[in-house]
Amino acid sequence: MSGMAEQTADQAPDGTVAGKRRGRPRDQVRHTAVLQAAGDLMIEGGLAAATMEAIAARAGVSKQTIYNWWPSRGAVALEGLMVRADPLADIPEDATAREAVRLLAVALVRLFVSTPAGPLLRSLVADAQSQPEIAQALRDQWLTPRRDAVVAILERGVARGELRSGVDAALVIDHALGSLYYRLLLGHEPLTEAAARRSVDLVWEGIERRG
Amino acid sequence: MSGMAEQTADQAPDGTVAGKRRGRPRDQVRHTAVLQAAGDLMIEGGLAAATMEAIAARAGVSKQTIYNWWPSRGAVALEGLMVRADPLADIPEDATAREAVRLLAVALVRLFVSTPAGPLLRSLVADAQSQPEIAQALRDQWLTPRRDAVVAILERGVARGELRSGVDAALVIDHALGSLYYRLLLGHEPLTEAAARRSVDLVWEGIERRG
Amino acid sequence: MSGMAEQTADQAPDGTVAGKRRGRPRDQVRHTAVLQAAGDLMIEGGLAAATMEAIAARAGVSKQTIYNWWPSRGAVALEGLMVRADPLADIPEDATAREAVRLLAVALVRLFVSTPAGPLLRSLVADAQSQPEIAQALRDQWLTPRRDAVVAILERGVARGELRSGVDAALVIDHALGSLYYRLLLGHEPLTEAAARRSVDLVWEGIERRG
Amino acid sequence: MSGMAEQTADQAPDGTVAGKRRGRPRDQVRHTAVLQAAGDLMIEGGLAAATMEAIAARAGVSKQTIYNWWPSRGAVALEGLMVRADPLADIPEDATAREAVRLLAVALVRLFVSTPAGPLLRSLVADAQSQPEIAQALRDQWLTPRRDAVVAILERGVARGELRSGVDAALVIDHALGSLYYRLLLGHEPLTEAAARRSVDLVWEGIERRG
DNA sequence: GTGTAATCGAGACGGTACGTCTCGTCTTCTG
DNA sequence: CAGAAGACGAGACGTACCGTCTCGATTACAC
């Protein structure tokens, strides 16, 4: 979804810094109202309730205005997600890798169960199954930054001698955090903070260096 | 999705045993054609392509005939999945728990990448995000039987002294197999048989009993 | 509606005289139940309510049974009408032509307003607009016999010197009785016995001022 | 059919006078195309052929566009009729009542046999039998204006001494013109201009033999 | 009696049209 | 001249009947 990337990319530099664009600048108030409305509707009634007409009506905006700035419903949702989700939780520098990942796992569960991001992510992943651009954007803008943070933590852990060297970071993340996504999407087991901690523990007792 | 359960339930006893129903009996050929068409369409173009009209057209069947036997598109897809997917892979009795789960994990990846079940599952999980009946049916008919098989293996492993007692089976499954679903749905990392094996290994080195 | 004519033709000779056919004979009870149900439904909810499925359900009969004996819904309705409608009202031999036609007109209004024949006729005329066979059957079986009766009365009236010779019988009927059909179908004026009498009077007397 | 009345009511003032509505205005070209298509189809194949889908297809318009402006198929047909039918034939001021009604009767027959209005009216009357709103609209928009014109003529005739006072105008119309509708709908006798004239003559003169 | 053949109920089936819904584009008028 | 209002083409939705077609179960005449 190259178009989407462009769209969301130029949202921050809204005229102040960027090269002067001709014509009327985007109305930031309306822009925000759309994201707000889309997010609200998805939370209330799931993906199905967040029709373009409903978003436009709730935001007090015309449909065309939405299509002007986003190529699809998924793009709106993704941007809404980024706006609502926490910034990358900041982890104490001196925490052990295990503690750090635990903090991230717990933060993720909190995000899933007590913020709008949970339902939003479910909708986005659903959309991603049939729309490759959504999938790509989801990976690029949501997943990768968070995975990179964990990779850094793990590398630090290896350097500090907390972990075995040769750890497959991607696999570790897929276990420690991926299993939480799995529960979010399939709903076969409850999503609790305790479960998040146990998930990390399970991985650790496998990858931790042993005397 | 109780209605769905009923439907799929009485499909096996196709008249031989069951109480004689009056009227023209269900046409098994058409019934099968619908499942075939629905599966094909989902594989070709994802969930979006498998509209009821398209399924009916491709199967050479009227829409009403589909609605006679399935309550929703998701129900058709699920039954199509069950038809296409392998029976539960049978595991040698004398295999260790680790070997057994490895076999299951590898079989799962194969199912995902080289059979129609992969795309079908992606479509179904997508639908499940907004349709609770689909989610329920998916858990009841697909997920639970497979998870139960792993639980049995793990229990046997504990009994044989291969595993620590007190293992959280649900969590182990979420890691060993759930991470594969996670990759299927997010597509951030490749799904290979080697990865499946490493996934099991990662878990084991955590739960394996140590001298 | 040749098929219809055949069907309705062999309803009277129900086995007594006709060549003995092998197999199970027509079930006269069901036959009657269908006519009853069809008529009832048309009266209750108009033509629209008398669907074949509704008739079959109400008569406790399968759809096929109806199609066995009648080619169309209109055919059922027409036969239902003939069954319910009065036999041709008998007119005293010694009545004047005017009195005789008056009696017929009043009988017609009564038929329209206080028997099921009114709604049934409305339904049939409606169907006749798009189905020529219905129109033909309606004319042959319903209209013509009644018009012939009036023609006879008028001829007798001419013979007796009550009427001018050279009277256009068809036109007279279209006025004296046709205006009542017109009111039945358009509903712009009430259908009363008094109106029926005045209708006949108008034909007889004209509106011209006379010296 | 109040909704219908509204629709057809605001069709004349097409934006010039009426309160300025926001948004894209009704597309008059498409509006007309729908009426044209509906009329054509009814003439070609009767009411049955003029399905909403067929009208939409022939007019090159989406179904929803039709539903935007008309509540039912009957409403489309009625408006199509009004568009195609002649304006009320204008009658010379100095004509006698008899001549005036004759002119109207002949014009009516011409309308029936040589314009699309005949088949359209047959379809509409058919629909009116089961849909009261159609019946009402048909009376209000088609029948009443034409009947009122005759009433005026008859009153003038009475004032001029051409007719007996105490003439039942409604009944006269039902005879002079209603009998023509009767022939249109039942088709038992031909509809000719000569018959129209004789119909008026019959009302004027009566059939009674006079001393 | 026992065939045997037509009839019946029930209802599945391919169709066709219904009226509704949402999408994404377009057109016009307003601020 | 950007934006709201909303008309529009497209096309899927799920429902309702149509008329046809299988079934298995009933009759009732003919042998």
Side-chain angles (χ1 to χ4, degrees), chain C residues 98 122 129 139 161 164 168 174-175 182-183 185-186 188 198-199 203-204 206-210, chain D residues 98 122 129 139 161 164 168 174-175 183 185-186 188 198-199 203-204 206-210:
Chain C
R98 183 177 194 161
R122 293 182 60 191
Q129 301 314 309
R139 283 194 294 267
R164 288 205 293 273
D168 181 341
D174 287 347
H175 278 229
Y182 178 53
R183 288 195 176 187
L185 294 168
L186 274 301
H188 55 288
R198 266 184 290 131
S199 180
V203 172
W204 247 257
I207 62 173
E208 207 169 21
R209 189 170 177 228
R210 305 179 202 284
Chain D
R98 184 177 193 162
R122 293 182 59 190
Q129 302 313 311
R139 285 193 294 267
R164 289 205 293 272
D168 181 342
D174 287 348
H175 277 229
R183 288 195 175 186
L185 295 168
L186 273 300
H188 54 288
R198 267 183 290 132
S199 180
V203 172
W204 247 259
I207 62 173
E208 208 169 21
R209 187 169 178 230
R210 303 179 202 285

Side-chain angles (χ1 to χ4, degrees), chain A residues 119-171:
Chain A
L120 276 173
L121 261 175
R122 294 181 60 191
S123 288
L124 278 169
V125 174
D127 269 14
Q129 302 314 310
S130 58
Q131 296 168 245
E133 323 86 55
I134 303 274
Q136 190 61 51
L138 184 57
R139 284 193 295 267
D140 290 348
Q141 295 177 49
W142 174 263
L143 219 54
T144 303
R146 277 155 186 80
R147 291 178 72 88
D148 285 349
V150 182
V151 168
I153 290 171
L154 294 178
E155 283 172 351
R156 207 163 49 192
V158 171
R160 286 177 182 165
E162 296 169 19
L163 308 180
R164 285 205 295 271
S165 64
V167 155
D168 182 342
L171 190 58

Side-chain angles (χ1 to χ4, degrees), chain B residues 35 38-39 42 72-82 120 123-124:
Chain B
L35 294 177
M42 289 213 188
S72 69
R73 186 170 51 177
V76 181
L78 180 59
E79 196 171 327
L81 172 64
M82 303 301 292
L120 277 174
S123 288
L124 278 169

Side-chain angles (χ1 to χ4, degrees), chain D residues 192-205:
Chain D
T192 64
E193 299 186 15
R197 275 186 227 101
R198 267 183 290 132
S199 180
V200 177
D201 290 347
L202 179 60
V203 172
W204 247 259
E205 290 165 7

Side-chain angles (χ1 to χ4, degrees), chain C residues 46-70:
Chain C
L47 170 70
T51 68
M52 282 302 218
E53 330 240 286
I55 295 172
R58 155 105 54 147
V61 141
S62 79
K63 271 196 303 175
Q64 189 54 54
T65 298
I66 304 182
Y67 283 106
N68 281 345
W69 302 113
W70 293 274

Side-chain angles (χ1 to χ4, degrees), chain A residues 12 20 23 28 60-61 63 69 83-84 89 95 106 120 130 135 138-139 141 149 151 155 159 201 208:
Chain A
K20 329 208 166 165
Q28 204 60 40
V61 142
K63 273 196 301 175
W69 302 111
V83 164
R84 279 156 191 259
V106 168
L120 276 173
S130 58
L138 184 57
R139 284 193 295 267
Q141 295 177 49
V151 168
E155 283 172 351
D201 290 347
E208 204 175 24

Side-chain angles (χ1 to χ4, degrees), chain A residues 23-24 30 60-63 65:
Chain A
R24 180 170 173 180
R30 285 182 179 83
V61 142
S62 80
K63 273 196 301 175
T65 298

